[in-house]
Amino acid sequence: MAIVTHHHLHLHDLRFAAPARVRVWKGAATLKSGGVAVELGEGESFTVPSFVRFACLAHPRVGAQGMRPAVWSLALDTQSSADLERAADTSKPHARRLAAAIFAQPAAHWCAGRIADDWQLSTARLRALLFAEGESLRSLVREQRVAWVLAQLARMDDAGVTLHPAAAGFATLPALQRACQDLIGLPPETASRAISLLSSSVAPAVQPVAGASLHSGADAPRQPRYRPYF
């Protein structure tokens, strides 16, 4: 499932512990980080280096038959090239390490005591390391949980994904909605609709009615590649 928007959608303060590849399928998008802007047209992609904070503005296009929605997807690269690694934000090694761990297990109970034990240091030392990098444990946990939610919603292949607030570490849907709006600017109603559609897309297949004819080469209706929920 990719993200489909029929109006300008501005998501800000996005940050991932792995390189994030943004691809535009229809319309256009602008990626911004600091004073740098990258314009993407249909069929183009750009990979944002690890832990670099950026914004994404999706632009629908006006065509001969009216407004054409913008369609874009997000994929995280498991391996990064030497060039991407050099461009990554390496000024915050402890925050980046912790962000990767949180993103991998967003539903886990991320408390200072548990992390300090894993890293074999005191909780005071842990907090001091994060403070020196301009980070805090609470904000980092919330940020990466929201990043995980967006990564699930914006991935092109939604096979096997069931997105429930608890899976992202949030107690309720309203809590998840507030976090998405506060941290990246995703409207609450948009997040709710997107999560509902994503969850329904992985529901168990409906068994065919007895006596119903089957189309050759397909046992189930064709699923759309993406859904216009924005």
Side-chain angles (χ1 to χ4, degrees):
M1 178 184 293
I3 289 182
V4 182
T5 175
H6 293 269
H7 55 81
H8 293 284
L9 177 67
H10 182 210
L11 302 181
H12 56 80
D13 292 314
L14 307 177
R15 187 170 64 164
F16 299 90
R21 186 174 69 256
V22 177
R23 179 179 296 276
V24 175
W25 301 88
K26 294 182 182 297
T30 302
L31 304 181
K32 292 184 177 181
S33 179
V36 179
V38 177
E39 301 290 343
L40 299 178
E42 292 188 10
E44 295 181 332
S45 65
F46 182 83
T47 301
V48 181
S50 302
F51 224 51
V52 171
R53 198 179 296 278
F54 69 101
C56 180
L57 175 60
H59 314 280
R61 286 278 176 86
V62 179
Q65 299 180 349
M67 185 69 75
R68 298 181 59 192
V71 181
W72 61 277
S73 63
L74 175 71
L76 300 183
D77 295 338
T78 56
Q79 296 182 343
S80 60
S81 65
D83 289 340
L84 276 177
E85 191 57 34
R86 282 192 293 269
D89 184 355
T90 58
S91 65
K92 301 180 177 184
H94 301 96
R96 184 181 174 189
R97 174 189 175 188
L98 182 54
I102 296 169
F103 187 90
Q105 295 182 302
H109 179 55
W110 292 101
C111 64
R114 172 196 169 187
I115 300 167
D117 288 343
D118 290 343
W119 290 13
Q120 297 183 339
L121 42 76
S122 67
T123 57
R125 177 59 177 164
L126 170 66
R127 296 185 188 280
L129 289 173
L130 295 178
F131 180 79
E133 296 177 356
E135 305 284 347
S136 72
L137 175 58
R138 180 183 177 86
S139 61
L140 198 59
V141 169
R142 200 160 180 250
E143 172 195 272
Q144 287 305 304
R145 283 173 170 171
V146 169
W148 184 85
V149 170
L150 180 62
Q152 305 313 306
L153 297 180
R155 59 188 293 176
M156 199 60 184
D157 179 12
D158 56 47
V161 176
T162 300
L163 208 164
H164 186 275
F170 294 97
T172 63
L173 180 59
L176 185 152
Q177 291 172 322
R178 286 193 299 272
C180 288
Q181 182 177 42
D182 294 346
L183 270 65
I184 65 174
L186 185 62
E189 64 277 7
T190 299
S192 178
R193 188 161 59 251
I195 292 170
S196 176
L197 286 170
L198 180 62
S199 298
S200 65
S201 72
V202 294
V206 177
Q207 295 298 321
V209 178
S213 60
L214 296 178
H215 297 287
S216 60
D219 294 332
R222 181 182 177 184
Q223 295 297 319
R225 198 174 187 188
Y226 48 75
R227 297 168 178 80
Y229 49 74
F230 288 164

